[in-house]
C-alpha cells in the first residue's frame, strides 16, 4: 500500500546507493572490509547508544539487500562515498547504483509482476 500510488515516487528507488558488507560486488573488487570493523566503528562513533544487536544483525544481513537488487537487474560499483568515512578504497563498502532511475522503476515493476505483488494506492482519507 503506497500513498504516492506508483513506484517512481518511492524515495528508496532514487538513492545513490546502499552501504553493505561482504557482497558479491565487494568480493569482485577485492575489498577487505569486515562486519566487525564496521560494527566497531559505528558503535564507537555513536558512543554505543544504538541497539548493538540490531546494528550487528543489519550488517550481517546487509549483503542480502544488494544480492536481491542484483537479482532483479541492478548494477553497482564500489565507490568512495561523498561523505567523509573510513570506508574507502580497500575498506570500501558503498555501492553506487549504476542503473538509471527510469530503468530502476522498470526493474521494480517487472519484479512486482514476477513475484505476484501489486501496488495499491492508499486512499486519501488515511
Ligand atoms: C535525497 C536523498 C538521498 C538519499 N540517498 C541515500 C543513499 O544514497 N543511500 C542510502 O542508503 N540512503 C539514502 N537516503 C535515505 C533513504 O532514501 C531512506 O533512508 C530510505 O528510503 C527510507 O526507506 P523507507 O522505506 O523507510 O522510506 P521511504 O523510501 O521514504 O518510503 C516510505 C513510503 O511510504 C509512503 N507513505 C507515506 N505515508 C504513507 C501512508 N500514510 N500510507 C501509505 N504510504 C505512505 C511514501 O510515499 C513513501 O513511498 C537518501 C534520502 C534522500 C532524501
Amino acid at each position: 500500500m503506497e500513498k504516492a500510488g506508483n513506484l517512481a515516487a518511492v524515495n528508496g528507488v532514487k538513492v545513490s546507493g546502499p552501504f553493505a558488507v561482504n557482497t558479491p560486488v565487494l568480493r569482485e573488487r577485492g575489498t577487505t572490509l569486515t562486519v566487525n570493523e564496521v560494527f566497531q566503528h559505528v558503535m564507537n562513533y555513536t558512543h554505543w547508544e544504538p541497539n548493538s544487536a540490531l546494528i550487528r544483525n543489519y550488517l550481517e544481513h546487509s549483503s542480502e539487500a544488494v544480492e536481491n537488487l542484483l537479482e532483479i537487474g541492478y548494477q553497482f560499483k564500489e565507490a568512495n562515498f561523498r561523505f567523509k568515512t573510513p570506508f574507502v578504497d580497500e575498506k570500501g563498502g558503498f555501492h553506487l547504483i549504476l542503473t538509471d532511475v527510469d530503468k530502476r522503476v522498470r526493474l521494480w515493476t517487472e519484479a512486482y509482476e514476477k513475484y505476484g505483488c501489486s501496488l495499491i494506492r492508499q486512499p486519501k482519507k488515511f
Side-chain angles (χ1 to χ4, degrees):
M1 202 171 277
E2 165 56 56
K3 189 178 184 180
N6 67 74
L7 285 165
V10 176
N11 198 40
V13 171
K14 290 175 272 191
V15 297
S16 309
F19 182 88
V21 193
N22 287 336
T23 69
V25 178
L26 298 182
R27 281 195 289 277
E28 191 176 303
R29 174 90 151 76
T31 58
T32 61
L33 188 64
T34 63
V35 164
N36 230 10
E37 287 169 317
V38 183
F39 178 73
Q40 291 300 330
H41 173 79
V42 170
M43 295 312 296
N44 288 333
Y45 186 83
T46 55
H47 309 286
W48 287 79
E49 283 181 2
N51 180 328
S52 57
L54 197 62
I55 297 284
R56 179 126 209 143
N57 193 45
Y58 159 74
L59 291 169
E60 283 172 355
H61 291 276
S62 58
S63 176
E64 292 163 26
V66 171
E67 287 163 34
N68 289 342
L69 290 169
L70 284 169
E71 192 196 316
I72 72 166
Y74 269 51
Q75 290 185 305
F76 298 97
K77 82 166 185 184
E78 188 276 316
N80 290 345
F81 200 41
R82 62 184 182 278
F83 303 125
K84 192 163 182 266
T85 82
F87 305 120
V88 296
D89 303 325
E90 195 203 322
K91 294 291 176 188
F94 174 59
H95 294 68
L96 180 68
I97 301 170
L98 301 175
T99 311
D100 67 50
V101 172
D102 287 348
K103 184 163 182 200
R104 294 180 205 178
V105 174
R106 282 203 303 279
L107 293 174
W108 273 102
T109 306
E110 286 164 16
Y112 267 51
E113 281 165 18
K114 182 176 171 191
Y115 294 104
C117 304
S118 51
L119 194 144
I120 302 167
R121 185 170 195 152
Q122 172 88 339
K124 276 209 168 82
K125 63 180 176 181
F126 293 102

